[in-house]
Amino acid sequence: MGKHDWENNEEIQIFREYLRIPSVHPNVDYTACVDFLKRQATRLNLSLEIIYPNKESNPCVLMKWQGQQPELPAILLNSHMDVVPVFADKWTHDPFAAHMDEEGRIYARGAQDMKCVSTQYLGAIRALKAAGFQPRRTLYLSFVPEEEAGPNPGMLELVQADYMHKLNIGFSLDEGISSENEIYNVFYAERTLWHVRFKISGTSGHGSLLLSHTAGEKLNYLLAKLMEFRAAQVKLLEGNSSLTIGDVTTVNLTQVCGGVQSNVVPPLLELGVDIRIAVTMDIAAFEKQIRQWCEEAGSGIEFIFETKDEFVPPTKVDATNPYWLTFKQSLDELGLKIRLLVFTGATDSRFIRQVGIPALGFSPINNTPVLLHDHNEYLRADTYLQGIQTYKKIISSLANC
Ligand code: ZN
């Protein structure tokens, strides 16, 4: 296929139409997304519901393809409608024009993260309907707001409103990350996120003295312990080629605040730290360790959690999970190789897993640079179309497993 064929391809046209909707942070207006999805549901003869889980919230769009055995647990195909901001001057093409070049590269914010997945689900359903396929399990497609930013992620609100149980969801697919080589990435877990603030109080006074128990000394002790821990994680990662960043705990100093002027020893200094805890770590023991370091540093350190996510157990990727076996078998039959990973960031899957529903993060994108949240985000038309075929296989298998 060449550029002319891609431009006239119905699936590519739908994808580009969705990419042209600037559902970009901050203050996203989801009206155009909802209208687009309503048109898609009509074309596919899927029922559509718009849900506002609480009064203040943004719309969640839910499509449904009723299964022949609706009493069976359903399959959820999740995606988010919002995209992260752009620095338009750094882009070679307008980030909301969905420009396609001669090679079939389609440039747009959301081309990888994750409007591609949304319309690929729809493309797969179109292909299945055309082939006369009838799902045994009910299929739901959720298109949620505020995944990338905002205090109320749509999926969290759906989960809090107990929607996943109301819909009797047995398994969910959500976004992954593209792979730069042939092997596709599949994510079965996420690390636990903490944003911690340390408010370090100490003796204040004149900068010419050697006062004891100063905030600076305490900060130095605590930071050294955190950095020692960080260095050990770096060593662990570097020493074992089978590990990826999602397998270790990351600690990063993100904020340092405090002080009045150079010759005044301040009564208070603050540290902001981003911590992502590996799924294999004992979280309670780690918290205890940090509290102990605060004590050792001298009293007067307040340990405040700005974000404290709870540990969410990974989705089982073994014989105990029939959905996993079906997913894996579909990819095997297509001859696609995968690697299992822990996601480095945070996606809606964590909310789904939190209520005990197995979820895998998978975007059918290989041999493509990882450009999510980056300038010149693009996806090749042939990769996109191949992804529809991949989903066709996976979705039909999951619906009938
Ligand atoms: Zn995303």
Side-chain angles (χ1 to χ4, degrees):
M1 275 179 116
K3 189 181 175 189
H4 179 76
D5 305 302
W6 288 318
E7 276 188 328
N8 291 302
N9 181 287
E10 183 192 14
E11 295 301 341
I12 298 291
Q13 285 171 354
I14 291 169
F15 177 38
R16 293 173 80 191
E17 185 184 342
Y18 196 28
L19 290 174
R20 289 188 185 114
I21 301 170
S23 51
V24 58
H25 283 280
N27 306 318
V28 185
D29 178 355
Y30 291 99
T31 312
C33 282
V34 172
D35 290 345
F36 168 83
L37 293 168
K38 280 182 183 167
R39 289 196 297 276
Q40 300 310 313
T42 304
R43 276 170 86 157
L44 289 167
N45 196 23
L46 298 173
S47 65
L48 178 142
E49 188 187 352
I50 299 165
I51 302 158
Y52 299 86
N54 73 47
K55 260 197 193 123
E56 310 300 318
S57 58
N58 289 305
C60 297
V61 178
L62 190 72
M63 294 185 198
K64 178 181 180 182
W65 187 3
Q66 173 92 33
Q68 291 175 310
Q69 288 176 255
E71 68 280 7
L72 291 176
I75 304 296
L76 178 71
L77 307 170
N78 182 56
S79 63
H80 60 80
M81 299 183 281
D82 52 330
V83 297
V84 294
V86 290
F87 298 92
D89 56 325
K90 306 274 188 202
W91 285 62
T92 51
H93 305 283
D94 175 351
F96 296 100
H99 172 85
M100 179 156 55
D101 69 11
E102 291 302 318
E103 310 281 304
R105 284 182 287 240
I106 299 165
Y107 289 86
R109 173 59 83 226
Q112 292 188 14
D113 181 14
M114 66 172 295
K115 285 180 170 167
C116 54
V117 169
S118 316
T119 49
Q120 279 171 321
Y121 290 150
L122 296 169
I125 285 171
R126 189 174 354 268
L128 288 169
K129 289 211 163 196
F133 177 79
Q134 299 275 354
R136 228 156 53 85
R137 295 174 190 272
T138 295
L139 291 166
Y140 286 102
L141 289 87
S142 51
F143 303 85
V144 294
E146 307 297 275
E147 193 274 345
E148 296 288 7
N152 301 308
M155 181 51 73
L156 175 62
E157 292 197 329
L158 284 177
V159 165
Q160 284 173 341
D162 205 26
Y163 248 90
M164 295 306 113
H165 285 130
K166 276 181 211 157
L167 299 177
N168 188 22
I169 303 295
F171 176 74
S172 164
L173 282 180
D174 194 9
E175 66 188 311
I177 297 181
S178 56
S179 155
E180 303 205 334
N181 55 37
E182 192 202 350
I183 303 168
Y184 292 86
N185 296 322
V186 175
F187 299 89
Y188 66 99
E190 289 177 16
R191 297 182 296 177
T192 308
L193 170 66
W194 284 358
H195 284 148
V196 177
R197 180 162 297 274
F198 297 99
K199 290 195 172 182
I200 306 167
S201 301
T203 315
S204 66
H206 200 285
S208 65
L209 303 174
L210 286 173
L211 300 165
S212 58
H213 308 297
T214 60
E217 290 171 294
K218 296 178 189 178
L219 181 151
N220 181 48
Y221 184 90
L222 176 61
L223 191 55
K225 288 293 180 190
L226 289 167
M227 288 300 155
E228 262 172 46
F229 175 85
R230 186 184 191 279
Q233 296 296 303
V234 171
K235 208 172 159 191
L236 190 65
L237 182 62
E238 287 175 353
N240 184 343
S241 60
S242 73
L243 296 182
T244 65
I245 189 79
D247 296 315
V248 295
T249 297
T250 50
V251 175
N252 282 296
L253 178 61
T254 49
Q255 281 187 306
V256 181
C257 329
V260 192
Q261 62 184 49
S262 300
N263 62 353
V264 176
V265 176
L268 180 72
L269 292 170
E270 288 187 27
L271 294 180
V273 185
D274 180 300
I275 303 176
R276 318 261 169 155
I277 305 164
V279 293
T280 49
M281 265 194 73
D282 180 339
I283 293 193
F286 186 49
E287 182 176 342
K288 206 171 149 197
Q289 175 69 82
I290 297 175
R291 290 195 186 279
Q292 194 187 322
W293 290 336
C294 290
E295 283 305 310
E296 289 167 8
S299 57
I301 301 182
E302 225 185 314
F303 178 4
I304 300 160
F305 282 104
E306 289 176 343
T307 304
K308 189 184 189 188
D309 283 357
E310 293 303 318
F311 172 73
V312 177
T315 290
K316 290 206 163 58
V317 281
D318 58 28
T320 64
N321 179 358
Y323 301 106
W324 155 252
L325 293 178
T326 303
F327 176 85
K328 176 73 169 70
Q329 195 188 341
S330 319
L331 293 172
D332 287 346
E333 285 172 18
L334 291 170
L336 305 182
K337 294 195 196 79
I338 59 165
R339 76 171 73 78
L340 279 169
L341 296 168
V342 176
F343 213 95
T344 51
T347 71
D348 281 334
S349 285
R350 71 190 189 282
F351 304 129
I352 300 170
R353 291 191 191 109
Q354 213 164 34
V355 288
I357 296 168
L360 293 175
F362 173 68
S363 299
I365 309 172
N366 68 348
N367 295 317
T368 302
V370 178
L371 292 168
L372 71 169
H373 298 203
D374 204 348
H375 317 309
N376 298 318
E377 180 179 354
Y378 76 80
L379 185 62
R380 283 194 314 273
D382 54 355
T383 309
Y384 179 83
L385 294 174
Q386 185 60 48
I388 291 179
Q389 295 308 312
T390 305
Y391 274 133
K392 186 183 167 198
K393 174 79 177 169
I394 296 171
I395 292 169
S396 57
S397 303
L398 286 169
N400 281 355
C401 76

